[in-house]
Amino acid sequence: MFPQFGATADTLSKASTMVFRIGTDAHLYDDPDDVSIAPLLDSKFDSEKCEALKRLLALIAQGIDVSNYFPQVVKNVASQSLEVKKLVYLYLLHYAEKRPNEALLSINYFQKDLGDPNPLVRAWALRTMAGIRLHVIAPLVLVAVGKCARDPSVYVRKCAANALPKLHDLRQEEHALAIEEIVGKLLNDHSPAVVGAAAAAFASVCPYNLSLIRRNYRKLCEILPDVEEWGQIALIGILLRYVIASHGLVKESIMFSLQCTGSSHSVKDGPDADFGQVKESTDMDGTCDYEFVNMVSRCYIEGPDEYLSRSSYANRESFELTGEQFTSGKSNDDVKILLYSTSPLLWSNNSAVVLAAAGVHWVMAPKEDVKRIIKPLLFLLRSSNASKYVVLCNIQVFAKAMPSLFAPYYEDFFICSSESYQVKALKLEILSSFATDSSISSIFKEFQDYIRDPDRRFAADTIAAIGLCAQRLPKMAHICVDGLLALSREEFVTKDFGFGDQEAGILTHAILSIKSIIKQDPPSHEKVIIQLVRSLDSVKVPAARAMIIWMVGEYSSLGEIIPRMLNTVLKYLAWCFTSEALETKLQILNTVCKVLVGATEDLLTFKKIFSYLVELAECDLNYDVRDRARFLKKLPSSNLVSIGQEEGTNDLPEKDLHVVAECILGRETRKVKTESFSYRFYLPGSLSQIVLHAAPGYEPLPKPCSLLLDDLNVPEGTSEIKKRAADYSGTDDYGTSSDPSDNESASDYDSQHSVAESSGSARGDDSEFTSEGNDNADPLIQISDIGNASENQNGVSQSGPANLGELMSDRALESWLGEHSGSSNPGISEQSQVRISSARISLGDVGKRVKPKCYSLLDPATSGNGLKVDYSFSSEISSMSHLLVCIEVFFKNCSSETISEITLVDEDSNRALDAADKAADVNQSCLASSDNVPTLVPMESIASLEPDQTARRIVQVRFHHHLLPLKLALYCDGKKLPVKLRPDIGYFVKPLPMDVEVFIDKESRLPGMFEYTRSCAFTDHIEELNKENGDSLFVKDKFLAICESLALKILSNANLCLVSIDMPVAANLDDASGLRLRFSSAILSSSIPCLITITVEGKCSDPLNLSIKVNCEETVFGLNLLNRIANFLVEPTLS
Amino acid sequence: MLQCIFLLSDSGEVMLEKQLTGHRVDRSICDWFWDHVISQGDSFKSQPVIASPTHYLFQVVREGITFLACTQVEMPPLMGIEFLCRVSDVLSDYLGGLNEDVIKDNFVIVYELLDEMIDNGFPLTTEPNILREMIAPPNIVSKVLSVVTGNSSNVSDTLPGATGSCIPWRAADPKYANNEVYVDLVEEMDAVINRDGALVKCEVYGEVRVNSHLSGLPDLTLSFANPSILDDVRFHPCVRFRPWESHQILSFVPPDGEFKLMSYRVKKLKSTPIYVKPQLSSDAGKCRVNVLVGIRNDHGKTIDSITLQFQLPPCILSADLTSNTGTVNILGNKTCSWSIGRIPKDKTPSLSGTLVLESELERLHVFPTFRVGFKIMGVALSGLQIDKLDLKTAPSRLYKGFRALTRAGEFEVRS
């Protein structure tokens, strides 16, 4: 109307923003580098420094790398102005890791600041110093933290607690104890603010050290309401874990009700039988779905991966909670005080605190008190939209486990149009899961409104939910079906308006819901089927049509009317066959076939229709339809023949045919996802519960009563394993025979493998290359049985030395037990279900046969003047620094003259250091000489080398990069020859001996993004097998040969420790699939463990398909290592 | 433990990144995120927890600004979300609203605030009153000062006293010439009226907001005349739980300045202050709309700024709507908004007109939901009444003030 006004308003608003921008830092953000920053940083005015720093910060905010200003910025740390200091700290923390040397320059100032009278300055200094995260200064930070933990200022002590996880992140074993000690001290602090931060530190530094909590459990409970909110979240979790570990679960709680009643139920009769009863009794008196709760509580304690995989083994009894693992919530003071102190937190303003407190009550509170958490949880739904979703995810589990809990509050789950789709879908699911006879009518009224919602995806979900409700409450089935039928007849769904999938989805869901309702009680819904069939002409959506047609076939003999309709219906179907969509065509064929097989009258007509349809289908454009037609053609013809020939005795074949038809045709048309609910449960309030997989660092609750009074340092769970182990050896013969010390008789493998051993020792001269001989006389092969296959009974060979025997047996047993969790590994579990039993092999002598690969450093012919220099990576570990890699260098004089003064040095060793570096170096060396590692530890030079003489030296090299070669200079006869040393990432690790159990445990903690797999082919063993073809009397030998060649190949190319070899036992003898080798190692520089698992797939005599899996926290390193392993496995061996 | 926080503008630009731990998060994660936002639209934006290939992301969207936090390890998701909400609250409080420009213009303050609020991925100081003492909010004086002198510091030189005291939300010993406390009841009414015109749900979500300027260490008690109507409550950390548990009395030492003392909910109310009667009848490709709005029962207070909003269904081609009071606007995204203001004495506001449906479509099969907005000053519709506010060790002069306000929350009328 008045464009000029619009324009004015526009300019006005622009002008006003201009006014607002005056005096802010806007210009700095818009043009951060319009003036040169460097001189400003060196200015003597604080304001100019500030401006420069703000410009740098703006550049950081925009993602531009400005780390090149680091040295100049660091100098300003000495400034007295707090604003400059703050800005410098912000910059410093952003880049410290990138520029460690320069960051060290600031340490002195931090130490000075730590003594400042102003607590703010002290706290900032501590925060920044710890935040720099350099290994070199860790000891200094530790001292500083220790000092600040005694500071008079609460704020500084709180910052000290916050600094502990930073220190812990550096993973320096030597400081672990000191850190834990400070955590303990801060947990004992009298100020609640400090305790909260200390609890957070405890959770990330030493979550298992529950004895620290034991000391001041009472005090922590009492102080809990006063702790600041974020600390409360951490502290609640810790206290819950402590109570369960020390006292076990509570007898009156929900978690217990399932244990007794639930297990007895499932023993007596199938779960389906008692489901009905449970539902009947699901009223207001607090009963719950036992089966479900049972599953939930087990998932909480064991973690769902372990629980689900174990339950598929049908040995549920291996984890059974006994009465001793329960305590009474009424008499146990520790439980009571925890519940008492967490209950007011349900009123907290912080939704995370409320949910954490609700979690404690859910697990620990007596059943009648669990009600307390309902209202606070429902109130959380009124907070932000984001938290609403998270809370609903948790309520969903609670409501499924104990429908009576939330059922009276169904109105709170009614849906607002402004909510997001995810929230709506969740609410629908919750509503349909606890609808009761009393609430269903109002819920249905709501549902009817939702069907008219403009969001059609949501409307389709509503229809699915109606179907679910009708299945839960059979009384409602008729009403639901009527409604759904009416819906499916409405014009907007049946007519094809080109609204696309959305309306089609509604119709499909409606028919699907009807179908599932009919399935429960077909006879009473006969009329519905007839109505649906009548509507066939108007239903145009292929998926819906297909479903109706399926029903025709499925219920063709139901009642009286349907069989009489068949004739007409089939004719109609045959008539419209050509114009149908693919899935409908297939379903028509199926249905006609089913009708034909089951029919008693009108056979001739049906047969005609059938052959007509088959003829049509055989000429169809789509090959699926053609295939189906050809296949079905055979089926009824035999039926008709049998009917025609002997009328009386066709009972049996017809029955068979029914079965066949049922098996082939009975499958559902299409699975439309109706229930997204998963049976994986994680602790309430955890991230894993939202994303439905165990996030890294997720820990289930500790095993009840695993914290022993006398023995505080036992890692949780072991006591139980030992107990179980004892049980087993007592009852099961097999368990004892797996003990190698008992098993002297099994010598098959001995004799057979002495060959291998002798061949190994024949190559004994190679063994000088392996500096690390395996000095403990490992058995040649040791099969500890892990399955129930009897063929393996004698598969255990000589034991180790007597003193080792004791140890070994224990370990074997434990690994026996550990195996179950091992196969919980997703992805492998499917195959391990088929092949449950497997044997564990160890190859004792393989270490001696390891022959590291030699690379050429200097070729005598081209550049070396007759000097030949080769090198190979050594498995030795440098004693000087963890950054150094040991390399064996072999010198050989191939010329006819003596070569003198051979030495290998760093190419840049005499490069002049520039000023900054020098300063940094000085600083660095005075701080910690241990990390000041040169590129190359100079080797002992060789004075002279006669013709044909060889010499061997060990050099220690520090590679700066995993992949780039290192330039070195070789001096001989006074000449300088440049050489390049190529790194081999396989030797950037050191062997990390561990047993299988530890391995599997570690592996399970490194899932998801810390896990990478690649597959490759492996052919080395074929040669080996051919070689031994002569004496292949024992078929098992093939496996061994494969194992050996594989293990050798890997150990010769990388510095790893062989943990275990698992061999399938029950398998086809020629099929090596399922063979699994595990290797462990730790990264040299950081000691981060790096686990490698190789799984074999394929026939023994063919090239094998290997899938290699690396679990490592250091993602880049892990990937590089994985690639390296895959590459060398493919390379042929140079023999 | 959060590893990184990103602030994204509504066009997907990364305005700010703050790395929190040693495990740096590359900002390429934001590209991944934004690609998904574009490809999956709003349903992705409303997902608070996202598992990306490398990180778990928490997102909170406020006024077009996306707050994105990344972590790689297990942590309570609500902690991440709640923290981001606090950050956005504090920022909008500091900067007087949130938008792209205001964040860019004050990026230094945002950085400084974030640095105080979180340390090593764990929240450090989130209490707004303490933050205000540590980092001064930008105000007109400091802006002018910085223009004139070219120098101003917003970083406080001293540690706020509150961080050290045992009451972490209150600075020790402020001094005021006039001691005053104001208590506001701010209520929002949520209601759902279904197609039959029946009231499905009607409840009030309320907050008790206190603005206190008291010297020394005041100990206040607040009691209600009818606490039994409260269904659920949540408290500021300053409230002592035990007196509430036993006598339903709020006993607390207030923070200095404005804060939210408690929030509450009153459920199952019987009536709404206004009624909205939509009528839609469709035939032969046209749909007649008629909406009436009126006052249901008089509280004796004027109902202000009444608005009505609804989304036209996607199958509608054009709309022609007129009203006898107020103005009707149809926005670009097919949102129709009718602002009525106050209801005139002499007539009942009504909106009427026709909608033209897509061709081939005879009748309307999806129906819009009307969202109603209103404001009533001076009354708390829940009926909650404050009984008295007492101060132990009362100073010589104490001004107490009480106010109430109700506005519409999720007030929906289905048609």
Side-chain angles (χ1 to χ4, degrees), chain A residues 80-83 118 120-121, chain B residues 133-134 153 155-159:
Chain A
Q80 283 308 305
S81 154
L82 277 186
E83 191 181 18
N118 184 346
L120 195 63
V121 175
Chain B
E133 283 181 58
M134 284 181 145
S153 166
V155 179
S156 154
D157 282 354
T158 50
L159 190 65

Side-chain angles (χ1 to χ4, degrees), chain B residues 91-330:
Chain B
L91 286 186
S92 80
D93 187 33
Y94 259 75
L95 310 177
L98 275 182
N99 59 52
E100 190 179 332
D101 285 339
V102 88
I103 287 183
K104 283 184 176 172
D105 294 353
N106 298 289
F107 71 100
V108 176
I109 289 186
V110 178
Y111 261 117
E112 287 168 349
L113 278 173
L114 279 176
D115 196 54
E116 285 309 325
M117 289 181 78
I118 189 163
D119 185 17
N120 195 35
F122 192 80
L124 183 67
T125 309
T126 48
E127 187 58 45
N129 291 306
I130 301 177
L131 285 172
R132 278 180 179 278
E133 283 181 58
M134 284 181 145
I135 296 151
N139 55 30
I140 201 73
V141 179
S142 74
K143 279 180 190 167
V144 170
L145 205 67
S146 81
V147 173
V148 176
T149 64
N151 177 27
S152 78
S153 166
N154 57 351
V155 179
S156 154
D157 282 354
T158 50
L159 190 65
T163 55
S165 80
C166 55
I167 314 160
W169 53 87
R170 187 177 173 86
D173 285 339
K175 291 268 188 295
Y176 292 101
N178 296 325
N179 287 300
E180 43 195 20
V181 191
Y182 299 104
V183 182
D184 291 352
L185 295 182
V186 181
E187 302 198 331
E188 284 184 7
M189 176 171 263
D190 296 355
V192 174
I193 293 154
N194 72 5
R195 272 183 235 298
D196 310 336
L199 195 59
V200 174
K201 181 171 109 172
C202 183
E203 58 188 42
V204 159
Y205 167 82
E207 287 176 2
V208 180
R209 301 190 153 273
V210 176
N211 194 352
S212 90
H213 299 283
L214 298 167
S215 315
L217 208 64
D219 198 334
L220 292 168
T221 49
L222 178 69
S223 59
F224 298 107
N226 47 354
S228 57
I229 66 164
L230 298 177
D231 212 58
D232 307 314
V233 283
R234 289 171 78 180
F235 299 122
H236 187 273
C238 70
V239 175
R240 301 187 183 101
F241 294 124
R242 302 300 167 200
W244 176 261
E245 229 171 6
S246 49
H247 304 102
Q248 317 228 288
I249 288 170
L250 290 168
S251 158
F252 58 99
V253 176
D256 203 32
E258 206 184 326
F259 68 101
K260 186 172 92 184
L261 179 67
M262 76 179 270
S263 47
Y264 57 87
R265 189 156 75 149
V266 180
K267 295 214 288 190
K268 306 220 161 140
L269 292 175
K270 291 288 174 280
S271 72
T272 56
I274 59 174
Y275 66 83
V276 175
K277 286 185 179 154
Q279 275 182 326
L280 279 86
S281 57
S282 53
D283 199 12
K286 289 233 164 70
C287 175
R288 283 221 41 93
V289 182
N290 188 23
V291 189
L292 289 178
V293 179
I295 296 176
R296 189 184 296 276
N297 44 8
D298 218 336
H299 288 272
K301 307 273 178 187
T302 31
I303 304 181
D304 254 332
S305 45
I306 301 176
T307 58
L308 195 75
Q309 269 203 348
F310 64 99
Q311 192 81 34
L312 294 172
C315 56
I316 279 171
L317 286 180
S318 66
D320 175 30
L321 298 167
T322 51
S323 67
N324 63 354
T325 343
T327 54
V328 184
N329 280 313
I330 298 180

Side-chain angles (χ1 to χ4, degrees), chain A residues 639-661:
Chain A
N639 180 25
L640 297 174
V641 167
S642 70
I643 289 171
Q645 280 177 350
E646 21 191 0
E647 293 272 5
T649 58
N650 64 349
D651 273 7
L652 194 72
E654 195 180 335
K655 210 182 230 170
D656 278 352
L657 271 171
H658 269 284
V659 174
V660 170

Side-chain angles (χ1 to χ4, degrees), chain B residues 334-352:
Chain B
K334 281 198 168 182
T335 306
C336 176
S337 87
W338 177 25
S339 49
I340 301 168
R342 279 184 202 182
I343 289 181
K345 289 214 164 53
D346 47 345
K347 59 186 171 186
T348 314
S350 79
L351 173 83
S352 58

